[in-house]
Amino acid sequence: MLPPPFKIKVVEPIALVSPAERRRALADAGYNTFLLRSDDVFIDLLTDSGTSAVSQEQRAAMELGDEAYAGSRSFFRLEAAVREAYGYTHVIPTHQGRGAEHLLCRALVEPGQLVPSNLYFTTSRVHAELAGGVWVDVAVPEASEPESLHPFKGNLDLAALRAALERGNVAFVRAEACLNMAGGQPFSIENLRGVRALTQEHGVPLVLDATRISENALFVKEREPGYEDRDLPSIIREIADLSDGAVFSSKKDHFVPIGGLLALNDDRVAERARELVVVYEGFPHYGGLAGHDMEALAQGIRESTDERMIRQYVGQSAYLGGLLSGRGVPIVLPVGAHAVFLDAKRFLPHVAQHEFPAQALAAALYLAGGVRSMERGIVSGQHGHDPYDGLELVRLTIPRRAYTQEHLAYVADVVARTYEDRKRVPGLEMVYEPETLRFFQARFEPLAAFPALGEELRERLELSA
Ligand code: P71
């Protein structure tokens, strides 16, 4: 693996608090890693959202932020950067991805209309449903098979999509790049072309969730015949050109702590979205962002099409995944874009799904080594009273440009140590359940005492140091 195409100029101290403090912090957080304080976390792999390092060019650009309420120069620079990278006609900034999802769904979804998509993302689905839409899962079955080596588990199932379109009353079709809930898995351009043909045949808009489009383009280059010699920006552009619009959470690929985009080609839909943005986000020339945020975002978009940058990032997940597979830890394969996903059903087979195995595993990893991860199982996946028997994953998500190989090697040690002691990890009981997006703030109690993983790991690491 080549070294990263950057070096470190500004650092942020981190520290591993004692095992006793971790126990207390975890209990105070109701065994939910979302509720931990970052001071109690050593390696923070909760999310790649808003956690990247910014570049010196982004910092410099921020000085140029034009904070004019309307007609801001920074907006026009952002618009130009979006058009250059993706080619969309209309650009509406939002405070983050879900702001764009809200506007899109309010503009496009009528009550009772269907929104077919590859799997779901929590906020995307909630906004479609709040607008009265009905979410339809049209992912290929391999998306939900952690052991399938399918190279494009982010593909849409064209037969299922055709059936949904033939039922009629479809608001828009959503295709998510590097499908988060399947493990950061790409779609192929061949598949997207098939989706495009079907949506055009039925006169239905195709909207990308392009949050992780750069990594998707890199996987296309590596895995799809005919793309090996293409440059990354042209593949990104080809993907965007197959769609009618996109939502972006810019907190990922665009290397900014805050920001999102709604990009559209259709004038009428864009007009509706602009009527809504003034109600919910702000004037269309800033949409919930400061001028300096838009400058950092415009520069981040340019960096996000740099193949060396994206290759280094995807390489970090592959590195961590390789260390874990080598030690027999069950993970989702192939390793995806932004994270390594542990398969909690195989990691903790003694914990039944109603005892929240992924939540319990995330808690155990924190105790073992101060590593914060995110539950992606029944706590985040179950929706209302629908039964859930889907994936039970723990996501070790890699912030961009933030951690070194040494950090990741430590994480692999913590996970492998926890795996050795997996039989002693208890299930959980949910003691507080919020009504929507329950995973953020739910609280749990362990059904038996957690083993003293942390104490033992510390001894081992100190001995080997
Ligand atoms: C991630 C996030 C952040 C997150 C959001 C909700 C629950 C837990 C964590 C955000 C995404 C995303 C995709 C594909 C839209 C959003 C929302 N991901 N689409 O993975 O991955 O964007 O957070 O900027 O509002 O940790 P937003």
Side-chain angles (χ1 to χ4, degrees), residues 34 46-49 96-98 101 121-124 174 176 180 209 211-212 249 251-252 259 374 376 395 439-440:
F34 275 103
L46 183 72
T47 177
D48 62 329
S49 187
Q96 60 185 81
R98 67 199 73 180
E101 293 170 336
F121 188 73
T122 48
T123 55
S124 322
R174 173 181 178 277
E176 182 185 322
N180 201 348
D209 185 322
T211 296
R212 296 183 182 85
S249 166
K251 301 173 70 170
K252 286 78 167 175
M374 190 188 286
R376 299 278 82 175
R395 192 180 70 176
F439 56 93
F440 280 125

Side-chain angles (χ1 to χ4, degrees), residues 182-388:
Q185 308 288 340
F187 49 59
S188 68
I189 290 189
E190 185 192 18
N191 181 258
L192 193 62
R193 281 218 190 85
V195 173
R196 180 68 175 158
L198 282 173
T199 54
Q200 279 185 329
E201 192 184 309
H202 289 84
V204 166
L206 169 57
V207 181
L208 296 178
D209 185 322
T211 296
R212 296 183 182 85
I213 191 173
S214 298
E215 292 85 6
N216 200 114
L218 185 68
F219 284 127
V220 164
K221 181 169 171 134
E222 287 183 341
R223 299 179 188 170
E224 190 158 354
Y227 287 89
E228 336 34 24
D229 298 324
R230 286 273 299 279
D231 62 86
L232 198 69
S234 79
I235 303 177
I236 292 173
R237 183 58 190 268
E238 185 172 334
I239 293 172
D241 281 347
L242 285 166
S243 72
D244 298 296
V247 295
F248 292 84
S249 166
S250 293
K251 301 173 70 170
K252 286 78 167 175
D253 275 2
H254 298 154
F255 306 105
V256 285
I258 197 73
L261 295 165
L262 175 59
L264 297 161
N265 287 334
D266 186 279
D267 298 342
R268 228 170 35 86
V269 181
E271 195 178 296
R272 251 188 289 163
R274 283 204 189 90
E275 284 168 18
L276 290 161
V277 76
V278 292
V279 180
Y280 294 105
E281 300 275 324
F283 193 73
H285 290 165
Y286 71 88
L289 295 176
H292 61 246
D293 293 332
M294 291 192 284
E295 294 286 353
L297 175 48
Q299 174 58 26
I301 289 171
R302 286 191 280 275
E303 292 170 22
S304 78
T305 65
D306 177 345
E307 181 170 330
R308 293 172 317 154
M309 200 67 89
I310 305 307
R311 214 172 257 294
Q312 184 271 341
Y313 179 57
V314 172
Q316 285 206 312
S317 294
Y319 171 73
L320 178 58
L323 292 179
L324 292 174
S325 297
R327 286 150 102 157
V329 175
I331 63 171
V332 174
L333 292 171
V335 174
H338 60 307
V340 174
F341 288 71
L342 306 176
D343 184 353
K345 280 187 185 168
R346 280 185 290 151
F347 202 116
L348 300 179
H350 59 286
V351 179
Q353 195 156 25
H354 66 269
E355 294 171 359
F356 311 108
Q359 191 79 32
L361 179 53
L365 297 177
Y366 172 70
L367 282 180
V371 174
R372 170 150 75 168
S373 56
M374 190 188 286
E375 193 266 3
R376 299 278 82 175
I378 190 167
V379 183
S380 37
Q382 177 151 38
H383 207 70
H385 297 291
D386 295 351
Y388 178 92

Side-chain angles (χ1 to χ4, degrees), residues 101-102 104-115 124-136 169 171-172:
E101 293 170 336
H102 178 207
L104 176 79
C105 291
R106 294 284 291 247
L108 280 184
V109 181
E110 301 289 338
Q113 282 193 310
L114 308 182
V115 181
S124 322
R125 177 171 173 165
V126 159
H127 280 298
E129 291 179 350
L130 287 173
V134 179
W135 199 260
V136 185
N169 207 19
F172 67 96

Side-chain angles (χ1 to χ4, degrees), residues 1 74 76 89 118 136 159 187 200 237 274 293 393 404 410:
M1 185 158 76
S74 302
F76 294 107
T89 318
N118 44 358
V136 185
F187 49 59
Q200 279 185 329
R237 183 58 190 268
R274 283 204 189 90
D293 293 332
L393 306 178
T404 64
Y410 168 82

